[in-house]
Amino acid sequence: MAVREIVKYGDLILRKQCGDVEDIFSVLPLVEDMFDTMYEEDGIGLAANQIGEDLNLFVIDISHKDEAEKPRVFINSKIIDKKGECLSVEGCLSIPGIQVELKRSEFITLQYYSLEGEQKKREFNDLMLEDGYTNLFYFPIFKEFLKSIVIEKN
């Protein structure tokens, strides 16, 4: 288990669609590093590409806000439905120290694999959505985040 360096804005890996995880059980050490890194940076979610790994993989832990939630791992995730619209204040570990208000879906249905290799499908909302978009869809949200920063600065 180790804390990894967070990839910052400008790195091309944040712009690309990441590849699928081929062997789910082989990513356990990486998942442990991701949680360690996320906790060290006081984040609630972290995508593998944010630490330089070209994998469709992200972790979330919102248990500090909702004790009923446990840390979660999402592997080869895909958004299969979106509903509603809401405003949410967003931050990103790849752009430290900046938060902006963004428009996003109120609910998403996500298909993914767990760390145990089980395929799941679940609807998410609220805090889970703040970092619940997969790195497959990370760049469009990242671009919207950056647009908001530019608009706020002008």
Side-chain angles (χ1 to χ4, degrees), residues 59-111:
V59 298
I60 294 177
D61 185 355
I62 60 166
S63 61
H64 66 289
K65 297 269 188 186
D66 183 350
E67 291 179 11
E69 287 292 342
K70 61 185 187 314
R72 294 180 184 269
V73 177
F74 298 84
I75 300 169
N76 296 340
S77 54
K78 177 180 173 182
I79 295 173
I80 56 175
D81 192 27
K82 300 179 194 181
K83 291 188 261 183
E85 203 172 80
C86 64
L87 293 175
S88 177
V89 175
E90 303 280 336
C92 177
L93 293 176
S94 292
I95 309 175
I98 298 175
Q99 291 192 326
V100 295
E101 190 173 72
L102 291 178
K103 196 181 297 186
R104 63 158 58 249
S105 300
E106 189 173 8
F107 299 92
I108 63 168
T109 301
L110 195 64
Q111 182 177 303

Side-chain angles (χ1 to χ4, degrees), residues 21-30:
V21 173
E22 298 294 328
D23 178 4
I24 289 174
F25 303 106
S26 71
V27 296
L28 181 58
L30 174 61

Side-chain angles (χ1 to χ4, degrees), residues 17-145:
Q17 181 174 329
C18 292
D20 282 342
V21 173
E22 298 294 328
D23 178 4
I24 289 174
F25 303 106
S26 71
V27 296
L28 181 58
L30 174 61
V31 167
E32 290 173 353
D33 288 355
M34 290 174 68
F35 275 114
D36 287 347
T37 303
M38 182 184 71
Y39 295 141
E40 180 70 23
E41 298 292 330
D42 294 323
I44 63 170
L46 185 69
N49 62 341
Q50 288 182 277
I51 58 169
E53 299 290 338
D54 182 6
L55 293 171
N56 181 351
L57 167 67
F58 70 97
V59 298
I60 294 177
D61 185 355
I62 60 166
S63 61
H64 66 289
K65 297 269 188 186
D66 183 350
E67 291 179 11
E69 287 292 342
K70 61 185 187 314
R72 294 180 184 269
V73 177
F74 298 84
I75 300 169
N76 296 340
S77 54
K78 177 180 173 182
I79 295 173
I80 56 175
D81 192 27
K82 300 179 194 181
K83 291 188 261 183
E85 203 172 80
C86 64
L87 293 175
S88 177
V89 175
E90 303 280 336
C92 177
L93 293 176
S94 292
I95 309 175
I98 298 175
Q99 291 192 326
V100 295
E101 190 173 72
L102 291 178
K103 196 181 297 186
R104 63 158 58 249
S105 300
E106 189 173 8
F107 299 92
I108 63 168
T109 301
L110 195 64
Q111 182 177 303
Y112 62 97
Y113 286 89
S114 69
L115 199 52
E116 294 76 30
E118 180 182 344
Q119 186 174 27
K120 298 185 176 225
K121 182 169 123 179
R122 181 172 170 198
E123 184 175 82
F124 294 99
N125 67 351
D126 201 25
L127 263 180
M128 268 307 210
L129 273 180
E130 288 185 16
D131 269 316
Y133 283 97
T134 69
N135 52 359
L136 181 65
F137 292 88
Y138 184 72
F139 185 62
I141 291 164
F142 194 70
K143 278 183 9 186
E144 194 63 33
F145 183 85

